[in-house]
Amino acid sequence: MSSKLLTQETVPPAVLEVIKGLQAGGFRAFLVGGCVRDMLREQPPKDFDVASSALPADVQRLFKKVIPTGIEHGTVTVVLRGLHVEVTTFRAEADYVDGRRPSKVEFHDDIEADLGRRDFTMNAIAWDPITGQKVDPFGGEADLHRQVVRCVRDALERFSEDGLRPLRAVRFATVLDFTLDPGTEAAIPKTLTVFRKVAAERVHQEFVKLLVAPSATRGLTLLASTGLLGEFLPEASLAELDAVGRAPRDEVIRMALLLLGQTQPREVMMRLKFPNKLAEDTAALVLRASLPPPSATDAELRRWLSKLEAARAAALLALHEARGSLPAGLRARVEAILASNPPLTTRQLALDGKALMAALGTGPSPAIGHATRHLLELVLEAPERNTPEGLLTALKAWTPPA
Ligand code: ATP
Ligand code: MG
């Protein structure tokens, strides 16, 4: 088996230079992990990670510019011709055990031990781009060709060491469109208590990659059937899984689908460690998910847009389109209304707060708030009245609430 991309030409010159430098210094050095996997899959790698028998201090000695990125875990970053190349010393342990950092990391002189601590066989292949030597002790290349995600060594043991791995297994199966090896899949329900201890930030990182994948429906179904989904997102609406896969590859729209019907969507999003802005956008879609009836007038559509916020309309239409609940013709009507740029917020009123105060002869007061809302109601009904004169006329006819 050979891959067209597993050649020196795929590797940036600066990365080759780092590997040559390490080898000239008397150390072993390989490309490992995601980049080797991606080259074997004929996909251009995102980044090139180097594993080496050199200790961080050796690397710092060999190269001019070295950043001590994660020196206690054996990782330093060599900066060469503007490129950042991570070099990690061979070691026999992962960063995390049971969701916590291990007390010590053992460095080894042995690439096979380093590959043995990695999660999946396809991620446990090393390749020396200078000699072309490939180190694949766990049959990773064969699994890649079979399109199977399989744990390195015993799945139960590996999942018990680090509870994030089951979620990574489902994430890789989803993103790469692979299946799970039966032993690997069977170990997931048995190690859920370990998964429960994993930090929410780590879960978030993996979950988002799965969520926006083209095959998200399959991934979410796998999360549900293995019990993972129930552990971190029991609120997810299983009825919407098909819609998620049809929706745009967007975190907000897809999360809103999963959280439809929830009364506290923002809290769920925060618990899952989504950034504030995404939590808010998602919550707004969930809480304002209902559409105006087909019989709605243009004024009713404008009132609905004003409450929803016009900027969220496209996402809400896409959400309903994905679930097949978008009435025919609604999209065109909404788009026509938005294209005419009617006033939908108080900031778009032709009289600002200062002008209102002058017209009413008061300073800042509750009356200003009442007047503003009254005028917005008026222009939502009749956008053409949104001129300074039109609003002044309307104000004269208006009696503030007692
Ligand atoms: P991606 O393309 O999604 O970044 P990747 O394989 O590069 O995929 P990373 O999370 O960047 O994934 O990790 C780099 C490598 O480190 C993996 O290929 C794997 O060998 C190893 N690894 C990462 N996380 C774990 C873990 N939790 N347990 C064991 N090995 C891991
Ligand atoms: Mg990576």
Side-chain angles (χ1 to χ4, degrees), residues 168-191:
R168 280 175 62 85
V170 178
R171 186 265 279 187
F172 279 118
T174 308
V175 170
L176 303 178
D177 251 319
F178 282 16
T179 59
L180 288 179
D181 167 75
T184 296
E185 182 167 353
I188 299 180
K190 296 178 184 155
T191 51

Side-chain angles (χ1 to χ4, degrees), residues 140-371:
E141 192 170 1
D143 284 341
L144 270 179
H145 285 276
R146 291 164 54 218
Q147 306 203 311
V148 169
V149 179
R150 184 164 65 88
C151 279
V152 165
R153 297 182 278 121
D154 184 65
L156 265 180
E157 260 174 49
R158 306 320 307 287
F159 288 173
S160 305
E161 284 166 10
D162 179 353
L164 185 68
R165 290 175 185 154
L167 178 57
R168 280 175 62 85
V170 178
R171 186 265 279 187
F172 279 118
T174 308
V175 170
L176 303 178
D177 251 319
F178 282 16
T179 59
L180 288 179
D181 167 75
T184 296
E185 182 167 353
I188 299 180
K190 296 178 184 155
T191 51
L192 292 176
T193 53
V194 190
F195 173 70
R196 231 166 269 160
K197 298 186 211 166
V198 177
E201 288 78 6
R202 299 180 73 207
V203 171
H204 175 82
Q205 280 191 356
E206 298 295 331
F207 177 60
V208 165
K209 290 182 185 172
L210 180 156
L211 181 68
V212 301
S215 304
T217 298
R218 221 188 113 242
L220 289 163
T221 306
L222 208 46
L223 286 182
S225 67
T226 52
L228 286 166
L229 195 63
E231 291 294 335
F232 72 97
L233 186 48
E235 296 90 348
S237 165
L238 300 182
E240 304 296 340
L241 297 193
D242 284 332
V244 170
R246 284 191 296 262
R249 298 176 57 189
D250 174 274
E251 294 172 52
V252 168
I253 297 172
R254 290 185 170 196
M255 278 312 293
L257 280 164
L258 290 178
L259 296 180
L260 276 183
Q262 292 295 315
T263 54
Q264 310 260 305
R266 193 172 182 284
E267 284 67 18
V268 179
M269 292 293 283
M270 296 308 285
R271 190 190 74 219
L272 295 174
K273 303 294 174 192
F274 280 91
N276 260 311
K277 169 87 169 81
L278 296 194
E280 245 155 59
D281 289 349
T282 303
L285 292 187
V286 172
L287 297 174
R288 300 206 175 275
S290 54
L291 296 172
S295 60
T297 61
D298 279 3
E300 281 164 340
L301 288 187
R302 285 190 296 268
R303 272 193 219 103
W304 165 74
L305 281 169
S306 172
K307 287 212 182 78
L308 173 69
E309 291 184 34
R312 306 194 201 282
L316 191 62
L317 293 177
L319 177 150
H320 281 284
E321 198 152 60
R323 45 196 312 272
S325 52
L326 184 67
L330 184 62
R331 174 183 289 282
R333 286 188 66 200
V334 171
E335 283 171 357
I337 287 176
L338 290 175
S340 73
N341 195 24
L344 296 172
T345 67
T346 52
R347 270 183 295 111
Q348 290 167 287
L349 288 174
L351 290 181
D352 62 11
K354 236 166 94 190
L356 271 180
M357 284 186 258
L360 292 175
T362 80
S365 64
I368 299 299
H370 290 304

Side-chain angles (χ1 to χ4, degrees), residues 360 367 370-371 374 394-402:
L360 292 175
H370 290 304
H374 170 72
L395 267 186
K396 279 189 197 121
W398 175 65
T399 25

